[in-house]
Amino acid sequence: MNLKDLMKDYFLDLDAAGKDPHQKIAWCTSAGPAEILRAFGFKVYFPENHGAMLGATRTCMDTIPTANAYGYSPDICSYLTCDIGAHLKGFTPLTRAYGIQAPPKPDVLVYNTNQCKEVMHWFEFYAREFKAPVFGIHSPNLLPEIADSHIDTVYRQFKALIAMLEGICNKKLDLDNLKKTVKLSWEASGLWSEVLSHLKHKPSPLNFFDTTVLMGPIVMLRGTEQAKEFYSFLNLAVQEMIASETSSIPNEKKRIYWDGMPVWGRLKFMAELFKKNHTCIVASTYCNSWIYKDHDAADPLLSMAKNYLDIFINRNDAFKEKYIFDTVKDFAADGVIFHDSKTCPHNTNSQFNMPNRLREKGLPSLVINGDLCDLRCFSDEQSTTAIEAFLETL
Amino acid sequence: MDVLIQKYFWGIDCGSSEIKVVVCDASGNIIDKRKQPTLFPLLDHVVRALKTDDDKPSPFDSSGSLKEGHIITASGYGRHHIDFASHKLTEIKAHFMGVKKHLGLKKPYTIIDIGGQDSKVITIKENNIHHFEINRKCAAGTGAFIEALAHRLKLKLNNLTTIAEKHDKEMTLNSFCTVFAEQEVIKILMSGEKVENLIHALYKSVVKRVLEMTAITTDTIVFSGGVIAYHTGLVNLFKEQLKDKEFFTVPETQYCGAYGAALYGIEENPCSPNE
């Protein structure tokens, strides 16, 4: 199964749905309750993916200033600014990729603050623009443990969301449909987890720059048969790569854990830099973030409430530090590179002394400055020197 | 009969301001050193720094080809553009190798390398790089910061230490950003402040910025890098801030990275006993 075709089909289907007056469209955050939306029959669009596309194509550098001029600060999430800027300019990278003129207009927007509060401002902008209803799930965050009270808070918000969606769709939620969607989501995420675990193999068959692309379906198509099929296929393909000793990085010498967002506009540059230095990034906080191991079709809403609270970004520093330390050991990584992403403090874990704490535990680490999209915050030369010097010390 | 070919190990530190070149014999003895401004096209100027018109050694023959027995190692920000170099390493490791050879310290120490484009604080433990920090994507705390303000004030870089020594007042520059610092400087001068006090404050801001980068955990500090060579006044300010430390300034600070690069070339090309 071809990832390119899968993504193309997803976007063309979404585009067609946007033009069909009988088809409802929901916009959802990447760690929002997509399963509920799909169970209602919504076609689901993810603005964060649009932000990543703008970043990867570097067209964000034309759209961020538009949002800045409109009143959104250059210091806030550059997914938000590049996406809103693109909307204001009437631009989308989907045109060049798939011939699509614009993302489909939403019938409802649903966000979850489990990842950050910026998504609230982002989705509220579009709610005003499209005069569409918006629903926010306000998650308790930075949690040391997931308590029943936390789960209950989110569960009750899911129930309120369902009531709202029933009004929009003029139909009751089909519980069997939800169970089926949650099961598919759980299966795809289990397979994705398995794919990622294959990077433990030495030499690793894939690296971080591969997995940032391969994660597309788990974000945008979770809860569908296509995502499950894709990861079944991918899982087998990676197993075959291991059997044939196919190595992602020729002559792999060093292995790294990457924390934080990718620098979308410099993916190729970074991939080549690590390849040249015979270094494989074998694990990352980012790609591991869409593993929902506790999704349970028998109790879909409660299990979803728990899983969406349990995501890495929503946990406290002690949890994150242990998670990174354990994952580094598990994947036999030699060190950690923290990406201090200027406009994404929520998904940056180096700012409260974690690198030093890990270093005291014997884990070498490096912090590089950059951003997920805004290349004004990233220096090729400085990052190259820092990364190469770090690799020299390992 | 085999003819023994004398080996020459060339180290280039291709920095943002200057290209520094050191050539050594196989034992690491410096045969010659030279430098020139970093100008463009870069490779032309790197080659110019390696070639000389006099009888000093050059790695190139009259046709411009690399001579046998000449091994070139490149470091600094421009290292990846020097395609004829046999080896490349970061300036962080290059400075460490230069300091190690020059000083031979066995105890843990911290190298403070203030460069034209960035500053580094490198912690050495057990004779290896234990940790390092590079300044953020910002000119504050680097030679570029000093250079920009000197340019604005039309002062020669070489004179700044002498000027700063004549200060009679402690002042603080609040701005991190070079552009805003320039504005602040103009405002201070407009209010009638002496330029000597201002330059002293400028030096203090560089020292403060470097010390903010990371906690110094060793008792010994070694200064390296080009900026210290031009601005010896910075050393005294570091000493004032780090009172209980022992200080060394590596000989020929500006050439330390190039020397380290040459030493790396020796390490990567061990000579047989009869060489």
Side-chain angles (χ1 to χ4, degrees):
Chain A
M1 185 181 282
N2 185 314
L3 177 64
K4 242 181 184 172
D5 289 343
L6 185 61
M7 289 292 97
K8 185 179 176 185
D9 290 348
Y10 162 74
F11 281 111
L12 291 180
D13 181 48
L14 205 54
D15 188 45
K19 291 167 183 161
D20 178 353
H22 304 294
Q23 178 61 59
K24 298 243 181 275
I25 306 284
W27 287 21
C28 186
T29 49
S30 66
E35 293 85 350
I36 294 175
L37 298 165
R38 287 215 160 91
F40 269 103
F42 283 97
K43 297 287 181 184
V44 189
Y45 166 75
F46 298 88
E48 280 153 89
N49 169 256
H50 198 243
M53 285 181 82
L54 287 157
T57 54
R58 293 181 290 282
T59 48
C60 60
M61 298 315 294
D62 293 328
T63 64
I64 291 171
T66 306
N68 297 157
Y70 187 75
Y72 286 92
S73 162
D75 294 331
I76 61 166
C77 171
S78 59
Y79 268 176
L80 180 161
T81 50
C82 74
D83 184 61
I84 288 180
H87 171 78
L88 293 170
K89 283 174 85 89
F91 172 80
T92 173
L94 296 172
T95 308
R96 188 167 176 199
Y98 308 113
I100 293 170
Q101 293 311 306
K105 287 182 181 169
D107 293 289
V108 66
L109 300 110
V110 179
Y111 65 84
N112 191 339
T113 61
N114 54 355
Q115 52 194 114
C116 63
K117 75 175 173 57
E118 272 80 350
V119 294
M120 175 181 77
H121 297 291
W122 190 354
F123 277 44
E124 283 178 348
F125 165 83
Y126 283 116
R128 289 190 295 272
E129 278 291 286
F130 293 115
K131 297 182 175 47
V134 59
F135 190 96
I137 291 152
H138 295 268
S139 294
N141 47 36
L142 305 176
L143 302 173
E145 301 290 338
I146 313 295
D148 287 348
S149 58
H150 301 136
I151 298 171
D152 186 56
T153 300
V154 174
Y155 174 79
R156 281 187 285 112
Q157 293 182 74
F158 281 169
K159 295 289 267 187
L161 169 66
I162 289 167
M164 179 185 172
L165 297 175
E166 285 177 342
I168 292 169
C169 298
N170 202 21
K171 66 178 180 187
K172 286 280 176 198
L173 171 69
D174 181 338
L175 191 61
D176 287 339
N177 225 358
L178 179 64
K179 287 182 174 182
K180 190 180 153 201
T181 309
V182 167
K183 184 165 181 278
L184 284 169
S185 192
W186 173 74
E187 286 170 335
S189 120
L191 289 161
W192 174 234
S193 171
E194 219 172 299
V195 168
L196 292 175
S197 74
H198 291 317
L199 277 70
K200 290 177 190 172
H201 189 266
K202 283 187 180 179
S204 176
L206 299 174
N207 68 60
F208 173 62
F209 304 102
D210 303 318
T211 54
T212 53
V213 177
L214 292 166
M215 63 185 271
I218 198 61
V219 178
M220 290 179 283
L221 285 164
R222 68 175 180 278
T224 67
E225 289 283 358
Q226 295 102 304
K228 181 184 156 186
E229 277 173 29
F230 174 74
Y231 289 113
S232 302
F233 169 82
L234 181 63
N235 194 15
L236 289 175
V238 178
Q239 285 174 28
E240 281 171 20
M241 289 170 82
I242 288 174
S244 63
E245 288 291 314
T246 304
S247 168
S248 166
I249 302 291
N251 192 15
E252 176 192 295
K253 287 180 182 165
K254 285 163 190 164
R255 296 162 66 86
I256 293 291
Y257 180 100
W258 179 277
D259 180 73
M261 298 296 292
V263 184
W264 285 112
R266 302 311 271 150
L267 274 191
K268 192 176 171 205
F269 167 82
M270 295 286 257
E272 284 171 0
L273 173 65
F274 282 95
K275 187 176 173 186
K276 191 173 70 181
N277 284 281
H278 304 288
T279 300
C280 187
I281 300 181
V282 290
S284 70
T285 304
Y286 186 64
C287 292
N288 285 6
S289 294
W290 284 269
I291 295 171
Y292 303 111
K293 61 183 186 309
D294 295 326
H295 267 29
D296 182 1
D299 203 347
L301 288 182
L302 265 183
S303 66
M304 278 175 63
K306 178 175 182 299
N307 264 321
Y308 284 122
L309 283 167
D310 197 24
I311 57 173
F312 177 93
I313 195 171
N314 200 41
R315 304 302 301 275
N316 73 345
D317 250 27
F319 174 91
K320 290 175 178 173
E321 188 177 321
K322 184 176 183 315
Y323 177 91
I324 292 174
F325 186 83
D326 291 347
T327 310
V328 164
K329 297 292 165 199
D330 205 19
F331 282 74
D334 301 298
V336 182
I337 295 180
F338 287 91
H339 173 205
D340 185 343
S341 181
K342 169 77 176 156
T343 72
C344 189
H346 297 279
N347 211 5
T348 293
N349 296 302
S350 58
Q351 294 178 346
F352 294 92
N353 206 28
M354 196 188 291
N356 279 333
R357 292 199 300 273
L358 287 176
R359 216 171 284 132
E360 281 163 15
K361 289 180 182 171
L363 206 57
S365 64
L366 170 76
V367 181
I368 60 163
N369 298 118
D371 191 56
L372 62 168
C373 288
D374 193 341
L375 294 176
R376 294 173 295 192
C377 307
F378 182 75
S379 158
D380 284 357
E381 294 301 324
Q382 206 172 36
S383 303
T384 300
T385 293
I387 289 167
E388 290 192 341
F390 179 60
L391 298 176
E392 282 171 352
T393 65
L394 293 177
Chain B
M1 194 176 88
D2 288 342
V3 178
L4 289 182
I5 294 169
Q6 167 76 42
K7 282 196 171 174
Y8 293 90
F9 294 89
W10 295 81
I12 307 168
D13 180 1
C14 188
S16 60
S17 305
E18 288 180 320
I19 301 161
K20 284 83 66 179
V21 171
V22 166
V23 56
C24 295
D25 63 18
S27 304
N29 299 309
I30 296 177
I31 298 169
D32 192 24
K33 59 183 186 302
R34 57 192 82 139
K35 65 184 169 72
Q36 72 151 65
T38 303
L39 298 171
F40 306 94
L42 184 67
L43 267 189
D44 291 355
H45 291 273
V46 172
V47 169
R48 191 172 295 172
L50 289 166
K51 276 181 175 174
T52 51
D53 296 330
D54 51 30
D55 57 355
K56 288 181 175 178
S58 165
F60 302 111
D61 61 22
S62 54
S63 70
S65 302
L66 196 61
K67 292 192 282 198
E68 197 179 350
H70 289 252
I71 290 147
I72 296 176
T73 303
S75 182
Y77 269 99
R79 67 188 179 282
H80 287 304
H81 302 285
I82 304 173
D83 48 14
F84 52 78
S86 309
H87 310 286
K88 287 164 191 172
L89 79 166
T90 64
E91 52 271 42
I92 289 162
K93 186 162 183 181
H95 275 273
F96 162 59
M97 293 194 74
V99 169
K100 187 166 75 165
K101 178 79 173 173
H102 271 309
L103 301 179
L105 297 171
K106 301 289 176 222
K107 54 194 163 187
Y109 57 97
T110 301
I111 301 170
I112 295 179
D113 163 23
I114 305 179
Q117 187 168 294
D118 57 23
S119 297
K120 296 122 188 160
V121 180
I122 311 162
T123 310
I124 311 299
K125 288 183 179 170
E126 293 167 3
N127 225 10
N128 268 312
I129 298 172
H130 175 73
H131 178 60
F132 68 88
E133 291 285 343
I134 305 182
N135 63 303
R136 298 167 72 88
K137 195 188 169 200
C138 167
T142 73
F145 184 65
I146 300 173
E147 214 169 308
L149 294 185
H151 178 73
R152 182 68 186 83
L153 298 174
K154 302 209 182 316
L155 297 171
K156 285 189 176 163
L157 284 175
N158 285 341
N159 295 341
L160 294 190
T161 289
T162 314
I163 294 170
E165 278 167 0
K166 292 176 187 155
H167 76 277
D168 57 15
K169 185 174 161 188
E170 293 295 332
M171 289 171 48
T172 305
L173 277 182
N174 293 314
S175 303
F176 278 163
C177 169
T178 306
V179 175
F180 288 123
E182 270 192 45
Q183 288 178 4
E184 194 181 349
V185 161
I186 300 304
K187 190 180 155 208
I188 291 168
L189 287 177
M190 279 178 173
S191 69
E193 191 53 73
K194 288 167 67 175
V195 74
E196 290 83 353
N197 293 337
L198 196 67
I199 299 302
H200 180 63
L202 166 66
Y203 275 175
K204 279 203 306 182
S205 82
V206 170
V207 170
K208 186 167 175 248
R209 188 68 169 156
V210 170
L211 293 178
E212 279 170 0
M213 283 164 56
T214 187
I216 307 262
T217 56
T218 64
D219 294 331
T220 303
I221 312 271
V222 177
F223 294 108
S224 185
V227 172
I228 288 289
Y230 284 112
H231 306 280
T232 49
L234 289 169
V235 172
N236 290 334
L237 289 170
F238 275 110
K239 287 179 179 173
E240 277 176 26
Q241 292 295 314
L242 302 164
K243 286 196 172 63
D244 53 343
K245 307 284 185 190
E246 177 189 28
F247 293 90
F248 295 90
T249 300
V250 75
E252 306 281 4
T253 52
Q254 234 180 326
Y255 291 99
C256 189
Y259 183 44
L263 294 170
Y264 183 78
I266 296 172
E267 200 174 275
E268 291 292 299
N269 295 274
C271 298
S272 61
N274 61 351
E275 282 182 287

